[in-house]
Amino acid sequence: MALTDEQRITLHGFNNLTKTLSFNMYDICYTKTKEEREAYIAYIDEQYNSDRLTKILNAVADIIGAHVLNTAKQDYVPQGASVTLLVSEGPIVEVPTDSYEESPGPMPDNVVLQLDKSHITVHTYPEYHPSEGLSTFRADIDVSTCGEISPLKALNYLIHSFDTDIMTIDYRVRGFTRDINGHKLFIDHDINSIQNYIPDAVIEAYDMIDVNVYQEHIFHTKCKLREFDLNNYLFGYTKDKLSEVEQQEIAERLKIEMDEIFYGKNIR
């Protein structure tokens, strides 16, 4: 689809708008014993160590057309990891025709665009409840760009890179740029909801809530997995090893934990 004259605006200089996507995900697990908890934390640290996180962020950089200038990564003791990529303008191969459309972004390929003064970061936070046998893993990813494409185009890939029960997604456009006549532009693309950048199959799998402040270019979407299978939340065994009463008690604990994270408050 060719962009119209109204869509393609000639700027004075490069695009000074800063577009930031914050993607937060939670994985929840029932770990009854100290040994199960330690095994879960060790599994998470191995599954999402700094090397794998670096690969994920490099794929994000490819999707948004960034050139990686510098990579800093760290695995922490006793648990957790962080990775930061400083990225800058890459060579122009082609300008995508869907830059201005609300739609799920691509999986990694050879998309390359202009952007400058940008960064991509991830931090992980494994933790556990002191007495109720619940362990959680949280990953926070921020993609901040100054360029034509929105970092929302990386959202589809990020969702598919993590096994997640709950997602909290924020998108904000800050600052302004100018057209050749000096007229300020405070946003350079239409957006009604972050959900428009999420594939239908993912939307069908989650309950979602939107909170948007359109006049401030702030968009917020929360997602909680709809289907609940207890086997997905037990570490090292399946529910057939438990009595019906145990299954119900554990399921209730897990559902409360998910609701509290989703709604952001203690509700017991």
Side-chain angles (χ1 to χ4, degrees):
M1 182 189 80
L3 298 177
T4 66
D5 291 338
E6 288 76 17
Q7 289 175 314
R8 187 175 295 286
I9 299 171
T10 304
L11 300 180
H12 173 69
F14 68 94
N15 194 331
N16 288 315
L17 291 170
T18 298
K19 307 165 196 173
T20 301
L21 169 68
S22 294
F23 173 79
N24 313 104
M25 58 76 60
Y26 296 84
D27 177 78
I28 303 168
C29 187
Y30 181 74
T31 51
K32 182 178 180 179
T33 66
K34 178 182 177 182
E35 290 74 20
E36 289 176 14
R37 184 180 70 219
E38 291 176 347
Y40 173 77
I41 296 296
Y43 165 78
I44 288 296
D45 271 355
E46 177 62 27
Q47 185 73 7
Y48 297 107
N49 59 40
S50 63
D51 287 337
R52 182 175 180 229
L53 293 173
T54 300
K55 292 179 180 178
I56 291 174
L57 296 197
N58 274 279
V60 170
D62 287 341
I63 289 171
I64 66 173
H67 174 67
V68 178
L69 297 174
N70 183 267
T71 301
K73 61 182 181 179
Q74 181 66 51
D75 291 296
Y76 299 109
V77 176
Q79 64 236 17
S82 294
V83 180
T84 298
L85 304 187
L86 295 181
V87 297
S88 186
E89 179 180 301
I92 303 173
V93 174
E94 61 177 334
V95 176
T97 57
D98 64 350
S99 310
Y100 295 88
E101 295 179 352
E102 292 181 85
S103 62
M107 301 304 273
D109 55 20
N110 292 322
V111 177
V112 181
L113 292 172
Q114 280 190 312
L115 63 153
D116 197 13
K117 300 182 180 70
S118 306
H119 67 270
I120 310 170
T121 65
V122 59
H123 305 284
T124 67
Y125 304 90
E127 65 89 42
Y128 56 88
H129 192 285
S131 60
E132 294 194 1
L134 298 172
S135 294
T136 65
F137 164 64
R138 183 177 111 237
D140 295 346
I141 298 177
D142 292 307
V143 184
S144 184
T145 70
C146 298
E148 182 173 334
I149 199 170
S150 167
L152 283 166
K153 288 298 181 180
L155 182 56
N156 183 23
Y157 171 71
L158 288 174
I159 291 172
H160 284 87
S161 297
F162 296 89
D163 294 324
T164 176
D165 298 308
I166 297 169
M167 297 182 289
T168 302
I169 307 163
D170 294 283
Y171 179 66
R172 183 178 184 185
V173 181
R174 293 175 292 174
F176 64 88
T177 192
R178 296 180 188 270
D179 66 17
I180 56 175
N181 298 313
H183 182 72
K184 293 184 182 71
L185 303 172
F186 293 93
I187 193 167
D188 63 352
H189 65 96
D190 293 331
I191 174 172
N192 293 309
S193 171
I194 292 172
Q195 292 189 38
N196 293 332
Y197 293 84
I198 300 175
D200 290 341
V202 176
I203 290 176
E204 291 173 1
Y206 288 85
D207 290 321
M208 295 189 175
I209 296 175
D210 272 9
V211 180
N212 300 320
V213 186
Y214 294 106
Q215 66 270 27
E216 298 296 334
H217 311 307
I218 296 173
F219 305 87
H220 174 78
T221 297
K222 294 195 294 187
C223 317
K224 183 178 69 170
L225 201 63
R226 287 178 177 170
E227 296 296 326
F228 187 89
D229 183 351
L230 184 57
N231 283 327
N232 295 332
Y233 300 89
L234 301 175
F235 193 75
Y237 57 96
T238 56
K239 64 183 181 182
D240 59 351
K241 302 294 184 183
L242 303 169
S243 69
E244 289 291 334
V245 173
E246 288 176 317
Q247 290 182 37
Q248 292 175 4
E249 290 179 349
I250 294 170
E252 183 64 21
R253 288 185 190 180
L254 289 164
K255 289 177 180 178
I256 290 174
E257 183 80 355
M258 292 175 66
D259 284 344
E260 289 184 342
I261 294 172
F262 184 65
Y263 293 109
K265 62 180 180 180
N266 294 300
I267 60 177
R268 304 182 201 205

